Amino acid sequence: MEKNDKDPDHDDKSKGDEKGDVVSDAHGSDDAHQDGSSKENVDVGNAETDHDQTGDNNVDKVSQGEEPPEIHQTLESLSEELDQILTSLSLHKEDHKDGGTEENGEDDYFQIPQFVGKFLDLFEDKLSKYDTGEPKTVWYQDPEEVSSLLEAVDRVSKLMSLLLNTKSCLDHHEPLINHAGSIQQRAMAFLEDEFRIILEESVTKEPTVVTDDSNSQRRSTADQQDHQNDAVVSQDQDQMLVPECGDKEIVEYPGYPEEVVGVLRKIAEKMKGGGYGWECREVYLVGRRNILMRTLKHDCEFEKVSIDEVQRMSWDTLEREIPIWNKTFKDCSSLFFPGELKLAERIFPGDEGSLFCIITHGLAIQFLGFAEAVAMTKRSTEKLFKILDIYETLRDSFPAMEELFPEELRSELRNEVASARSRLGETAIHIFSDLENSIKSDSSKTPVPGGAVHPLTRYTMNYLKYACEYKDTLEQVFKSHSKMEREEEEPVESGNSAFASQLMRIMELLDGNLDVKSKQYKDIPLSCIFMMNNGRYIVQKIKGSAEIHEVMGDTWCRRRSSELRTYHKNYQRETWGKLLGFLGHEGLMHNGKIVKPNLKERFKSFNATFDEIHKTQTTWVVNDEQLQSELRVSITAVMIPAYRAFMARFGQYLDPGRQTEKYVKYQPEDIEDLIDQLFEGNTSSSSTATAKRRT
């Protein structure tokens, strides 16, 4: 239809007539298409005229008694026509955005066809069907339904945008704008609910993290066990994968099927296009934060605790919480946080990590607060290994985590981690200092029965053995965080690390303490047994641990073994040297003849002394089988040849029978059997040694 150049009065009349054609009034006029339509609405006017002419024909047919044909309209059939209207309205808006038409005396009115209202009504019916349908989210499983619904939402959003931003529409189509706005709000509310439901209920399977515990050989006095997740990121897939463990199925995180992620992304796009992007992001934030916390609780048994709660916890409770924290932090670094970042980027392209940061940043800060709170609890030696576990977790797992955050947050997290690691490191060093002080202050006056290994020796060596399993970490701790100054501190030996020097100092303190405790025994041989027991225990612990042996070195072990041999010689001299004196020849002969009274007394003294040694030393304790065997063999090697020779030389001078039985109490074989009863820790031994006499 061409533009009609009539006088202003006629134009004003045409405008008034055309205002009656607004869709909300549900009436059209053929006369309206003969006046005042702008050039770009020619096709629209023609289309509406055609509809009206068809209506006139139908009226004629009705007057002749014929039924008019029913025209079935659907969203799909009206969509193409609506797209044309939207295109025309967009062009109209551009042409009239500067008000040029009014200056030229042209009318900027834009006719909205009646079928636009019909499209809105059909779309509202579609929403009503979904609202009452069960189950409510079935629609997204049908790609055609997804396309139909979201395209309709998109058209309504574009229509609203054009209506609200076109002056003539604001002036003449307020009822239509209100109707379309109401439907758009309903559509967005529907999509918001559907987005929430799909997000929370469409996870195919809660991911089960398969953890590879690389520190499984470590066991502290509380049987502590650390966890290390070995999750990997597949370079060719969008999901985070956990490595296979035996025949277990690989489980994905976050666990959404690909088609569900696609639907969520499309909903987010349509809501953003309709001006409801913030509402969609808010639903996503709340939903994913809840899902993440639920996953951490399910997979890692993790629950948030405040710094105050940590500091009020008993050590037994905190000792159980720390492995949970370690596992959770590692899994978040390698699996959960990367999965959240990737999901947010796929559903909200171009988000650049802002949603991910809102979901995870607070949790990351809480993790670090827990670590620092543990370091601030009251120090005790049994806490060292748990503190080192946390230190290692931060050291090894944080670099991967920080890479997920933008630089401004990354810097903040680095500072928090540096602070936590500093506190943990200083606490570990102070705990070692406390260990030294506990060795110095152990001044118990009661000797260990039987010369057994002292509890202080067992505790210290087991402690150092476990500490050496953290050798590299402790070396780093002493190098990076040591701020303590010692009075009269000995210089570090050339080639020794800071931790090795610390270990040597503790060993020297232990040696000094044991030497003091050995003097509590009035019996010198028992004192030697005590030092041998403790010395052998220390050497065996060091040789049995590659880590502590590497720190102490072969030279130290050889020196300690040499000291043990010295104690062994002293014991043998103090105990069996005196007994050997009874087997000498001095005083038994006079003028070439045996002095029988002296010989008899010699046998009696030997028997009495041996009985006393046997009675006493069967109560002594040598738990190390090798040391026990070495002592018995060395005693036998000294005593049996000497006793056998003495018997051969002087036994014949005693009268056979009663006199021999009275004075020759033991045969050499009997002595050997009784020696094999020594160091059993048998407190119920009889006062007199007995052995089955060999015949």
Side-chain angles (χ1 to χ4, degrees):
M1 181 178 292
E2 297 180 357
K3 182 174 66 175
N4 213 336
D5 296 322
K6 294 189 177 183
D7 60 85
D9 293 334
H10 183 84
D11 289 342
D12 292 338
K13 181 180 179 181
S14 298
K15 289 181 184 178
D17 292 337
E18 286 178 356
K19 289 177 183 178
D21 289 326
V22 176
V23 174
S24 59
D25 297 334
H27 294 289
S29 172
D30 289 342
D31 294 338
H33 301 292
Q34 299 175 6
D35 303 306
S37 296
S38 60
K39 184 175 182 180
E40 59 268 41
N41 286 301
V42 171
D43 293 337
V44 175
N46 287 336
E48 186 169 344
T49 302
D50 291 340
H51 286 300
D52 293 341
Q53 289 173 350
T54 301
D56 293 340
N57 292 335
N58 290 338
V59 171
D60 293 339
K61 292 179 181 179
V62 171
S63 64
Q64 298 173 8
E66 298 180 12
E67 291 293 334
E70 181 180 353
I71 301 176
H72 180 68
Q73 294 177 313
T74 64
L75 275 176
E76 289 71 19
S77 65
L78 295 177
S79 293
E80 185 175 351
E81 294 182 68
L82 180 59
D83 289 341
Q84 293 176 0
I85 289 297
L86 294 175
T87 300
S88 298
L89 183 56
S90 179
L91 293 173
H92 174 85
K93 173 177 171 291
E94 290 297 319
D95 289 344
H96 296 81
K97 64 181 179 181
D98 297 326
T101 304
E102 293 180 0
E103 294 175 2
N104 297 327
E106 296 179 359
D107 189 356
D108 69 343
Y109 177 71
F110 187 89
Q111 179 71 29
I112 303 296
Q114 181 178 343
F115 71 82
V116 174
K118 180 63 175 177
F119 177 90
L120 294 174
D121 293 339
L122 289 173
F123 179 55
E124 188 172 23
D125 291 342
K126 190 179 188 74
L127 291 177
S128 298
K129 181 185 71 173
Y130 286 139
D131 280 337
T132 58
E134 294 294 339
K136 192 174 181 181
T137 58
V138 156
W139 66 273
Y140 83 85
Q141 299 176 0
D142 184 347
E144 292 184 1
E145 281 293 307
V146 171
S147 178
S148 173
L149 176 65
L150 296 183
E151 287 177 3
V153 171
D154 193 42
R155 290 185 176 96
V156 172
S157 296
K158 289 179 180 178
L159 175 63
M160 275 300 297
S161 176
L162 289 170
L163 290 175
L164 292 173
N165 289 281
T166 304
K167 184 178 183 304
S168 67
C169 293
L170 289 171
D171 292 341
H172 305 302
H173 300 305
E174 183 178 352
L176 176 63
I177 292 173
N178 292 337
H179 185 45
S182 174
I183 293 176
Q184 185 194 30
Q185 289 181 357
R186 180 176 179 181
M188 292 303 167
F190 171 78
L191 289 183
E192 181 178 325
D193 288 341
E194 293 298 287
F195 189 91
R196 178 186 299 107
I197 293 170
I198 296 172
L199 190 70
E200 294 182 352
E201 298 183 2
S202 295
V203 178
T204 56
K205 183 177 181 182
E206 289 290 345
T208 301
V209 178
V210 181
T211 300
D212 173 22
D213 184 4
S214 63
N215 297 323
S216 60
Q217 298 303 316
R218 291 178 177 174
R219 296 292 184 272
S220 70
T221 52
D223 194 31
Q224 64 90 27
Q225 180 177 5
D226 191 25
H227 302 276
Q228 182 173 1
N229 178 268
D230 195 23
V232 297
V233 181
S234 171
Q235 300 298 323
D236 302 323
Q237 300 184 19
D238 289 327
Q239 298 287 348
M240 304 300 298
L241 302 181
V242 179
E244 290 182 276
C245 180
D247 295 331
K248 288 186 178 179
E249 178 185 357
I250 293 179
V251 181
E252 298 179 345
Y253 183 83
Y256 294 105
E258 187 65 29
E259 57 272 16
V260 170
V261 175
V263 171
L264 291 171
R265 180 171 59 249
K266 291 175 182 177
I267 292 176
E269 290 173 353
K270 301 311 178 187
M271 290 189 70
K272 180 180 179 182
Y276 287 76
W278 185 89
E279 287 81 354
C280 183
R281 289 165 62 90
E282 187 69 18
V283 170
Y284 180 85
L285 288 172
V286 173
R288 282 311 306 172
R289 187 183 290 119
N290 291 338
I291 293 170
L292 176 59
M293 294 309 300
R294 186 167 65 243
T295 302
L296 294 183
K297 183 175 182 180
H298 177 269
D299 287 4
C300 306
E301 301 178 0
F302 173 80
E303 293 186 13
K304 285 185 177 181
V305 290
S306 67
I307 292 178
D308 290 339
E309 288 173 327
V310 171
Q311 295 185 324
R312 288 197 301 267
M313 283 182 183
S314 67
W315 173 240
D316 287 342
T317 302
L318 189 55
E319 193 175 27
R320 292 190 296 270
E321 289 293 327
I322 291 174
I324 293 174
W325 181 92
N326 284 323
K327 183 181 189 306
T328 305
F329 191 93
K330 292 174 183 179
D331 290 346
C332 283
S333 176
S334 61
L335 180 68
F336 297 128
F337 281 16
E340 290 295 339
L341 177 60
K342 189 172 290 291
L343 182 65
E345 289 175 343
R346 294 173 66 207
I347 296 178
F348 298 91
D351 177 68
E352 297 181 350
S354 63
L355 286 170
F356 162 78
C357 292
I358 297 172
I359 293 170
T360 60
H361 178 255
L363 186 57
I365 292 296
Q366 197 275 335
F367 283 148
L368 302 179
F370 177 92
E372 196 155 354
V374 172
M376 294 166 62
T377 59
K378 184 178 180 181
R379 295 196 311 267
S380 60
T381 52
E382 68 269 17
K383 294 182 180 180
L384 175 65
F385 306 112
K386 295 297 186 185
I387 287 174
L388 292 177
D389 285 340
I390 297 175
Y391 187 93
E392 288 182 343
T393 297
L394 291 177
R395 179 195 65 195
D396 299 338
S397 298
F398 176 69
M401 181 181 289
E402 72 166 323
E403 292 298 323
L404 303 173
F405 291 90
E407 182 57 40
E408 59 272 17
L409 292 181
R410 198 179 303 173
S411 177
E412 176 194 358
L413 291 174
R414 281 199 203 103
N415 292 335
E416 292 288 337
V417 169
S419 174
R421 286 182 61 184
S422 179
R423 282 188 179 273
L424 291 166
E426 291 173 10
T427 300
I429 293 171
H430 281 295
I431 288 177
F432 253 90
S433 178
D434 293 342
L435 177 62
E436 293 182 28
N437 293 333
S438 68
I439 295 173
K440 291 177 184 177
S441 62
D442 190 318
S443 56
S444 57
K445 302 299 183 181
T446 304
V448 179
V453 177
H454 198 281
L456 178 63
T457 304
R458 292 185 185 276
Y459 177 80
T460 302
M461 292 311 300
N462 282 321
Y463 197 87
L464 294 181
K465 177 179 179 293
Y466 294 127
C468 283
E469 293 179 5
Y470 294 83
K471 177 173 65 67
D472 294 339
T473 301
L474 281 168
E475 180 59 47
Q476 181 181 6
V477 165
F478 276 99
K479 184 177 180 180
S480 303
H481 306 289
S482 181
K483 297 180 180 179
M484 295 183 298
E485 296 181 0
R486 301 173 181 274
E487 297 179 3
E488 303 178 359
E489 181 176 11
E490 297 180 6
V492 176
E493 296 181 16
S494 177
N496 279 355
S497 66
F499 174 60
S501 299
Q502 182 79 16
L503 205 61
M504 294 289 188
R505 184 161 44 247
I506 291 176
M507 292 303 303
E508 290 170 3
L509 288 172
L510 180 60
D511 286 344
N513 190 290
L514 291 174
D515 186 61
V516 172
K517 294 183 185 307
S518 71
K519 293 178 172 55
Q520 296 173 355
Y521 296 98
K522 298 178 181 179
D523 193 335
I524 294 178
L526 181 56
S527 173
C528 293
I529 291 294
F530 173 79
M531 294 302 289
M532 278 190 283
N533 272 327
N534 285 271
R536 175 60 70 95
Y537 184 86
I538 292 171
V539 170
Q540 292 301 102
K541 279 291 182 182
I542 291 175
K543 288 184 176 180
S545 169
E547 292 83 6
I548 193 170
H549 184 267
E550 180 182 350
V551 174
M552 301 305 296
D554 291 328
T555 301
W556 187 93
C557 290
R558 285 194 296 269
R559 185 170 67 247
R560 179 51 63 96
S561 296
S562 176
E563 293 173 1
L564 289 178
R565 287 192 293 271
T566 299
Y567 288 122
H568 190 157
K569 291 177 182 177
N570 292 342
Y571 159 77
Q572 198 152 302
R573 183 182 65 251
E574 291 292 332
T575 300
W576 304 100
K578 182 179 180 180
L579 192 60
L580 286 173
F582 294 120
L583 301 180
H585 296 181
E586 296 81 5
L588 296 181
M589 298 185 68
H590 182 69
N591 296 327
K593 293 183 180 181
I594 299 297
V595 182
K596 283 190 176 184
N598 291 352
L599 180 60
K600 293 176 181 178
E601 187 62 31
R602 187 69 61 84
F603 271 111
K604 287 174 62 178
S605 297
F606 177 87
N607 294 337
T609 302
F610 181 78
D611 286 346
E612 182 61 29
I613 292 172
H614 181 272
K615 174 186 175 181
T616 301
Q617 297 196 14
T618 51
T619 65
W620 293 0
V621 178
V622 178
N623 288 327
D624 185 272
E625 293 183 359
Q626 183 179 349
L627 178 59
Q628 187 184 72
S629 176
E630 289 174 1
L631 286 168
R632 289 170 177 173
V633 168
S634 66
I635 295 168
T636 299
V638 170
M639 291 303 304
I640 299 306
Y643 187 69
R644 196 183 300 278
F646 186 82
M647 285 289 296
R649 176 70 175 84
F650 298 105
Q652 57 184 314
Y653 295 105
L654 296 176
D655 296 335
R658 186 177 171 189
Q659 194 175 65
T660 301
E661 291 179 0
K662 181 178 180 181
Y663 296 105
V664 183
K665 187 174 182 179
Y666 303 111
Q667 295 297 317
E669 294 78 6
D670 300 328
I671 297 293
E672 189 171 355
D673 289 340
L674 293 170
I675 288 173
D676 285 341
Q677 296 177 4
L678 302 179
F679 317 121
E680 292 285 358
N682 184 7
T683 57
S684 62
S685 296
S686 60
S687 59
T688 304
T690 57
K692 183 178 180 181
R693 186 180 296 267
R694 300 186 186 183
T695 57

